[in-house]
Amino acid sequence: MNHNTPVSPRPLSHLTDATTRVLTAAQLRAHGVAAADLTAACRPGGPWQQILPGVFLLHPGPPTSEERLHAVLLYAGRPPGEKVTLPQQSADSAAAASLPPNRRPAVDAAAAAAPEIPAAYGDAMITGLAALTLHRFSSAPPLLALERIDVLVPRTRRLRSTGPAHLVRSHALPRPQLVTGVPVAPVPRALADAVAQLADASAVRRLLTEAVRGGHCEPAAIVKELNQARLLTRPHVVDAVDSLLAEGRAIAEDRLYRLVSEHGLPDPLWNVDLRLPGGPHIGGVDAYWPDQAVALELDTRAPRQDEDALWSEYARKREHLERLGITVVHITPKKLRDAMDQQAQVVRTALMASSDRDPAAYVVVLPR
């Protein structure tokens, strides 16, 4: 034995799942596979194959969709020279698991419950259409139908797109979500990366509509990502966004109707304009309780280039109403979706507190 011979090479017979049927050259070396043996195994007719530069598939057939995902993450995830992590339980973890329960080291409950992204993936994550498929979008194609898989990486990563791996670079990476053991970009970011490569207006519209109807996210979050990606200059994207905002508005209004009926709140006047008698127009509100002088507004603003001007208009109207003694309740579609009970209590509190306030100024209420 010389100094180049691996000590106690690790057998590969235990490599049975997708994360271990796809390994990097560095991981194989750590398992005791010599470079010459790796080259021989990947020759035509051999048992292994190279699927991406430095990434190997440990069987001769075509890769499964799961194996392709792990391959592109391994290719994009680890900068050269990073410490190798073997795809198996660490010795310390295995030793701890072998101890009796009363002698095992304490583990923080939150840390234990949090999903752990494999270290070999680094900060890479699946995005684009592949991510939407993993998020269970019915309008996204199956993974095996995708020739390329988008993988989000830092802008400083020195790699090129090749084979099934299409690198999408970003100055700021979102926090990934773990889906079936794979780090995946959140839906708004995955949508933006998918739309950036789609010229089909109907496909863009289907994806954006499903995101809202399926409850994956709110329109404002999608428009924010599209705006940051500078996609709102494309006519087919703008048209789809206009439909998306109308769809999101309708869904939010339906939730607001449910909030009032299901929580036993008094019926308001819906979608009305407020004016001073013989005076100027104050503005429209989504619901108004004239006896209690409480107005409710749904904030369905989308963060576009004119956001500052739109927010100034919102703020001006709110200040005007409050100067007249009218309480303004401000609710976002996200809060309606995620915390309807809490928002109902906010409205109820505002209605009950009206008896403790000075009478509000008289306003004219007109249909909007």
Side-chain angles (χ1 to χ4, degrees):
M1 178 183 296
N2 58 38
H3 65 281
N4 292 322
T5 303
V7 178
S8 302
R10 304 184 184 194
L12 301 182
S13 58
H14 65 288
L15 304 181
T16 57
D17 60 39
T19 60
T20 52
R21 290 193 302 265
V22 181
L23 296 177
T24 65
Q27 289 173 328
L28 287 167
R29 283 196 302 271
H31 274 290
V33 178
D37 294 334
L38 178 57
T39 301
C42 293
R43 287 174 182 157
W48 297 351
Q49 56 185 305
Q50 181 170 302
I51 188 172
L52 280 164
V55 181
F56 298 87
L57 183 63
L58 305 190
H59 64 75
T64 65
S65 57
E66 189 178 4
E67 288 167 347
R68 293 177 78 222
L69 291 172
H70 290 293
V72 299
L73 286 167
L74 286 175
Y75 172 70
R78 287 196 313 109
E82 188 173 325
K83 183 179 178 181
V84 173
T85 301
L86 293 177
Q88 62 179 35
Q89 189 180 35
S90 70
D92 289 344
S93 298
S98 67
L99 294 173
N102 61 346
R103 294 182 56 196
R104 293 176 188 172
V107 178
D108 180 71
E116 186 173 335
I117 295 173
Y121 298 159
D123 42 21
M125 67 189 80
I126 303 297
T127 190
L129 287 173
L132 297 178
T133 300
L134 291 169
H135 283 299
R136 299 184 179 277
F137 272 61
S138 62
S139 53
L143 290 174
L144 286 177
L146 296 173
E147 293 184 4
R148 302 186 308 175
I149 294 174
D150 295 327
V151 55
L152 191 59
V153 298
R155 187 168 291 277
T156 54
R157 188 61 46 83
R158 294 182 178 180
L159 284 175
R160 293 183 178 180
S161 298
T162 183
H166 177 244
L167 271 61
V168 179
R169 304 178 190 279
S170 176
H171 285 296
L173 297 179
R175 182 184 296 275
Q177 300 173 358
L178 205 62
V179 182
T180 66
V182 175
V184 178
V187 167
R189 179 56 194 261
L191 276 170
D193 290 334
V195 168
Q197 301 176 58
L198 292 174
D200 185 347
S202 60
V204 170
R205 189 186 300 270
R206 284 195 301 271
L207 289 172
L208 299 188
T209 300
E210 183 174 354
V212 175
R213 287 184 182 174
H216 294 282
C217 56
E218 296 301 327
I222 299 172
V223 177
K224 179 180 179 180
E225 289 289 350
L226 293 175
N227 189 35
Q228 290 179 346
R230 300 180 181 178
L231 295 172
L232 295 182
T233 57
R234 302 182 183 183
H236 69 286
V237 177
V238 173
D239 291 344
V241 165
D242 289 340
S243 297
L244 169 76
L245 294 176
E247 178 87 17
R249 176 81 189 183
I251 292 173
E253 288 179 346
D254 181 66
R255 289 177 182 150
L256 183 57
Y257 298 147
R258 286 173 45 210
L259 179 147
V260 170
S261 63
E262 293 177 6
H263 291 82
L265 298 175
D267 288 331
L269 302 175
W270 295 106
N271 295 316
V272 294
D273 276 323
L274 304 180
R275 290 179 179 272
L276 288 174
H281 174 249
I282 302 172
V285 295
D286 295 285
Y288 184 61
W289 288 266
D291 294 341
Q292 294 85 7
V294 173
L296 185 146
E297 280 200 287
L298 275 174
D299 183 2
T300 56
R301 290 175 301 120
R304 304 200 203 187
Q305 289 84 349
D306 58 353
E307 179 183 9
D308 289 343
L310 190 56
W311 173 247
S312 296
E313 177 62 21
Y314 265 78
R316 182 203 62 78
K317 179 170 62 176
R318 180 169 187 163
E319 290 172 0
H320 194 173
L321 290 171
E322 290 179 344
R323 282 199 302 270
L324 296 172
I326 297 173
T327 299
V328 180
V329 178
H330 194 257
I331 295 181
T332 64
K334 187 176 188 301
K335 288 179 179 178
L336 267 179
R337 182 190 70 183
D338 298 339
M340 183 178 288
D341 291 347
Q342 182 186 49
Q343 299 310 302
Q345 187 57 42
V346 170
V347 176
R348 191 186 307 279
T349 300
L351 294 173
M352 293 175 63
S354 65
S355 59
D356 299 328
R357 300 193 305 267
D358 293 334
Y362 177 75
V363 294
V364 178
V365 182
L366 299 171
R368 184 162 59 169

